[in-house]
Amino acid sequence: MKDRVVSGYRPSGRLHLGHYHGNLKTMTRLQETHDCYFFVADWHALTTDYRDTSMLGAFTTEMVLDWLAAGLDPEKCTVYRQSDIESIPELVLYFSMITTLGELERCPTYKEQLRELDSRGVNTYGFLGYPVLMATDILIVDAELVPVGEDQLPHLEMTREIARRFNSLYGPTFPEPKPILSPASKIPGTDGRKMSKSYDNDIRLDDEPGEILRKVRRMITDPARVRRQDRGHPNVCSVFQLIKAYPEVDPVKRSGECKEALIGCTDCKDEIAGIIADDMEGLRSRRAELAGNPGVVGEILESGAAVVRPIAEEILGLARDAMSIGTL
Ligand code: TRP
Ligand code: SF4
């Protein structure tokens, strides 16, 4: 029996290089060795973006197309949508009974996002309860391992706490899942901040070569390097960070060339833009091919749900029995 792995992404539309070099490569690797369940966390999207839900479907389609183009293979892993699994909300209800407000309010992402997203009106019951929903996603498929970024570790700790509490109250029912920490993506956005769609500084997986070149050319380099003959400082240059994510350019050599002013920033940028475009070429053509078949995402989510529903129903049944729900 292979260990079971679960991970979810909020449907945010098209994915970018930060996703790719962070979690997505880990996921494509894990599907070769583990029993993997990867889902579109559309209910999670509602915890912060409940006002305008009109893009949920389109964002789900775009994201699943990117997953497939990047190498997730529905023959090797189960791809599904959270909202197709009707047993989840019932288990959320039971877990919500045994989770205290204090625990939820202490969650670091809760405090942080409440501050940052204040204008979006996230001071809701659903947003506070987000970690309970996440715990349910994980426990309802009986997963042992969860590949996540560092920011998600507190949620995973809460998942373990919820499992422990349930087990001690009602008898051993759930395993305590462990994280697989994905390497933090070191890919900077085109403005030097963390790459993020909401900062509008991302290079998307399906950007055309011309678009990639335009974005890379716009990037800030070493501010002290004004003229071509000025010596550069690669360690303060975000283009250099990008270079380090690709094996095609030797970073030691490039660092030397930059410091000695043997290469100009435009040439340096054009080279890495070309490398990224080449690296993404296969992905882009696979994506175009997939997108030409409009039913493909629906079919994949449908068969994924058919695999997950019975598993989730069974686990929910165990939880109900343990809690003596529905008995006389
Ligand atoms: N909370 C995760 C995020 O915002 C998404 C997510 C929801 C998730 N449920 C999950 C990740 C279960 C791993 C396992 O990125
Ligand atoms: Fe950055 Fe390359 Fe210019 Fe050096 S040559 S400052 S690494 S863009």
Side-chain angles (χ1 to χ4, degrees), residues 24-187:
L24 194 46
K25 276 193 190 162
T26 310
M27 286 158 65
T28 50
R29 204 165 24 78
L30 285 169
Q31 71 180 348
E32 305 294 339
T33 49
H34 290 69
D35 184 21
C36 290
Y37 292 77
F38 298 134
F39 68 96
V40 180
D42 55 344
W43 279 330
H44 276 268
L46 296 183
T47 63
T48 48
D49 298 278
Y50 57 86
R51 283 181 214 276
D52 182 1
T53 55
S54 59
M55 292 304 286
L56 272 180
F59 281 178
T60 298
T61 304
E62 297 295 354
M63 192 174 77
V64 173
L65 287 174
D66 276 343
W67 274 359
L68 301 173
L72 288 193
D73 179 353
E75 302 280 317
K76 297 180 179 165
C77 63
T78 302
V79 175
Y80 61 105
R81 171 167 55 188
Q82 186 183 32
S83 63
D84 289 333
I85 312 303
E86 296 87 350
S87 306
I88 291 176
E90 187 176 335
L91 191 58
V92 167
L93 182 73
Y94 302 141
F95 286 161
S96 75
M97 302 299 169
I98 64 170
T99 306
T100 67
L101 283 178
E103 287 171 287
L104 294 170
E105 284 162 349
R106 273 195 301 277
C107 186
T109 46
Y110 173 71
K111 289 192 276 191
E112 185 189 310
Q113 295 208 37
L114 201 55
R115 249 180 285 120
E116 271 180 30
L117 303 178
D118 199 27
S119 56
R120 282 205 246 161
V122 293
N123 204 352
T124 62
Y125 172 53
F127 180 64
L128 178 67
Y130 165 133
V132 179
L133 181 56
M134 178 157 163
T136 307
D137 296 329
I138 297 168
L139 297 174
I140 206 161
V141 293
D142 220 5
E144 283 106 30
L145 296 168
V146 189
V148 282
E150 193 161 8
D151 61 318
Q152 298 294 317
L153 290 178
H155 302 149
L156 207 68
E157 199 35 64
M158 279 200 65
T159 303
R160 296 159 60 82
E161 177 58 32
I162 289 171
R164 274 194 295 272
R165 192 168 304 156
F166 190 100
N167 294 344
S168 77
L169 287 168
Y170 310 114
T173 311
F174 295 105
E176 286 181 42
K178 295 183 190 63
I180 300 177
L181 193 57
S182 298
S185 171
K186 303 232 169 56
I187 302 285

Side-chain angles (χ1 to χ4, degrees), residues 199-257:
Y199 293 156
D200 197 20
N201 66 358
D202 57 338
I203 298 174
R204 299 195 315 217
L205 299 188
D206 66 331
D207 277 346
E208 297 289 332
E211 184 66 11
I212 296 173
L213 183 62
R214 200 178 60 76
K215 288 180 175 176
V216 173
R217 283 236 179 117
R218 238 182 18 213
M219 287 177 72
I220 318 258
T221 61
D222 171 8
R225 205 173 175 205
V226 185
R227 285 160 309 174
R228 165 72 180 78
Q229 61 269 34
D230 293 337
R231 286 160 182 266
H233 304 84
N235 291 335
V236 302
C237 172
S238 42
V239 178
F240 190 65
Q241 284 295 114
L242 204 53
I243 285 170
K244 285 199 280 189
Y246 290 85
E248 287 85 346
V249 183
D250 175 1
V252 178
K253 183 158 173 276
R254 178 52 42 89
S255 169
E257 291 164 342

